[in-house]
Amino acid sequence: MTDQTPALRLEGIVKTFPGVRALDGVSFTVMPGEVHALMGENGAGKSTLMKVLGGILAPNEGQIFIEEQPTIMSSPMNAKAKGVVFIHQELSLADELSVAENIWLGELPKKSFGRVDWTKLYDETDAILKTLNVGFDARKRVGDLSIANQQMVEIARALTVEPRAVIFDEPTASLTDAEKVVLFEVISDLQSRGVGVIYISHRMEEIFKITDRISVLRDGQYRGTLNTAETNEEEVTHLMIGRTLDLSRNAVTHEMGEVALEVRSLSCGDLFSDVSFTVRRGEVVGFYGLVGAGRTEIAETLFGLREPSSGTIHLGGEEVTINSPADAIKRGISLVPEDRKGQGLILGMNCRDNMTLPQVSDLTAGPFVSDGAEVAIFDQYRDKLDIRTPGWRQTVGNLSGGNQQKIVIGKWLSMRPEVLIVDEPTRGIDVGSKSEIHNLIRELASQGYAVIVISSEMPEVLHVSDRIVAMFSGRVMREFTAEEVTEDSLIQAISGIGADKVA
Amino acid sequence: MAELTRKGLGGFLARQGILVAFAVFMIAFAVANPRFIDIDNVFGVIRSSAILGVMALGVTFVVIGGNLDLSVGSMMSFSTIVVLDLHDKIGPTLAIPSMFLMTMALGAFIGILVGYLKLNSLIVTLGMLSAIHGLTLTYSGGKNMDIADKEGTWFAVFGQGGIAGVPMPILMFAALAIILSIILSRTPFGRKVYAVGGNGVAATFSGIPRARVVFMTYLMSSFCVATAGLIQASRSMGSQNTVGQGMELEVLAAVILGGASLLGGAGTIFKTVIGVLILGFIQNGLLLLGLAFYAQYVVTWIIIILAVWLDIAAKRGGLWSRIA
């Protein structure tokens, strides 16, 4: 590799924001035909680095080289023209336009009088789609494609130029396992064409499966590059967070109390049907299944956001009807929702106000909100959950993902719930904060909370749960205890294999 | 390497533009016509801004809650006409509460449409602007209203009275501003208004009854409109049935100028008061410069555009952006 010219080289990149040194002299090199992982906790500087590379931010110091030519990226278009292309985590496609129009948006081939040359457009697009081996054509409306196929459209867009480096930012976040395989094939195809690939992800299995080298950032500083073949997860994690993690299965058991929540044959339209389960005090019940299996919908029904079509809910042995979130909260149910930014937080509000929001009506002195009571709650949960923020006045939108999630968890813990439902507790959160949140969930259970954890990540479910409910297509397929569960049996249960064997 | 946009003049203007513009205006006006900073003139501006100001206080709640209220102008005509008409029929003591009830019923109706039925507030209140205008004309039979016996009633106290030399409209504006400011910044309800406007979904997920909060903001807005109508009626003791026409835009201009975000979730009563005063002084300054009264309609428009631009510029940190 050493005698080759690097596809892309960054040298001593520094980027400061008022009060923060977001990038502190970062250098790294991507060779042609290499898949290079870029890892780091949230807030380590990955996104800032990518913005610098993509021409969205100008660095204060440092230099970018493309094939050893010093280059200044002045805009995203400029970066693309120079062969540096991004595949973003959040897709930016126009749903109503065709695949071809999306791919060539802004540079549609023209005939005389500015008319679009449709024949050329579709032909060129189909040629690109063919190299990607996808099952749709240039005329398809993008809104009708699956997320995975939309991602393919983004990738196809990258291929309209001769790419030198392609950057994938968390590309598998919303893909199924089968779709991931296709994505990895495309990546290895890019690789064989001599393109340098930068692959950003939090998922270790993927990193170890497809990358050649791993570069790590921590606190805006470059921490080193490892050859994937010669390292292991512990070493990478250590480099990322400066300490080692316990990723083993949950082994600690503790006393369980009486049944806190019992659900009997609960159904809600086509979303889920005939769902029954119980959760005891001191127990963590994991709900595992594919996206769309109905897990979030069950949580929303328990939280009063959906009306069940049949079945009953019992809290502490008593049958209850839950008509609204306010009702659920009053009865001691808390929900840490799936979408942290959309459902969990008011990003423009400060940390304290977000945390005390569900109980603000009760924190009063006379008719007014009691500042002291609010700050006391914030301080208590900031310390308990180790939330890192300059102070309660900090706007929540400025915190890292892990700290934001802790604010949401703190918000619901401070309600002292009987039943705590946590939906995708660590989505988009870095490894370090992830294990903190896992430990926290275990600790809460040991304090006697009844906890439901909904997750799409198998290691997470295995790690935190005492019992696991496997769901497929709106139905409970099987229940496992932590002792009896195996990865194979769990995968079978959630893919509907052997469905008829289950009572 | 140089920063692209965030520093320099553009960034400064984006953050402090409205104060800079105001300072430039004030200095220019004062130089052009010294009468502008005369104490009587300053007092006069505040007094004539009071009616607009009272309405802007209510609209601030609506806007922070994430909605718009374009019906306040025609609603103010309605309250003015109603209270003047009822004054002669049932006397001021009964006329005033009746007018408040009727105006707040209109506010409640809008609150149901926008809050509980979740209809788009722009369309609902734009429609109500027209509907309430029709209601006022129907009520008055298209005629203007006058109080018959202007000497034999205490009704003039709200528009023409005063305490210790401070005119009543200013006192009412100030008192209402203080009370509403406390409600917005210190009570659970105020917090919920910010939450609902900041992120309605997250507010719902926190158990906040979003529909009820939005409903309440419209009810408060209509209460403020009724107060403004009372001041207006009492000041003139008679009125055309189009007295509030066009005020919805001026009110909105003042609220945005004060810095309440049109996206909801941000703004304060204090800032709205500042916005009202800026608008008042600019209009007064232009009059003193000899501009025709009609020019104010254009000026209001320019101020709205400027305020909206600066609002979005402050968010993205530059006067223009490639991306959004």
Side-chain angles (χ1 to χ4, degrees), chain A residues 275 277 285-289 295 298 452-455 461 469 471 476:
Chain A
V275 170
F277 62 92
V285 176
F287 274 70
Y288 186 63
R295 299 163 301 157
I298 293 175
I452 295 176
V453 173
I454 298 171
S455 176
V461 174
V469 175
M471 289 196 65
V476 173

Side-chain angles (χ1 to χ4, degrees), chain A residues 155-211:
Chain A
I155 295 169
R157 201 191 248 178
L159 299 181
T160 60
V161 293
E162 194 56 50
R164 295 198 169 93
V166 179
I167 294 112
F168 289 86
D169 188 2
E170 293 270 357
T172 55
S174 41
L175 299 191
T176 64
D177 286 340
E179 290 166 340
K180 279 180 204 168
V181 173
V182 179
L183 176 75
F184 294 158
E185 276 169 15
V186 171
I187 290 177
S188 93
D189 184 49
L190 284 173
Q191 207 176 349
S192 62
R193 289 207 234 164
V195 176
V197 174
I198 299 180
Y199 191 85
I200 302 175
S201 177
H202 285 129
R203 301 192 180 180
M204 288 285 187
E205 325 91 85
E206 291 170 11
I207 299 278
F208 278 89
K209 198 161 153 192
I210 68 163
T211 68

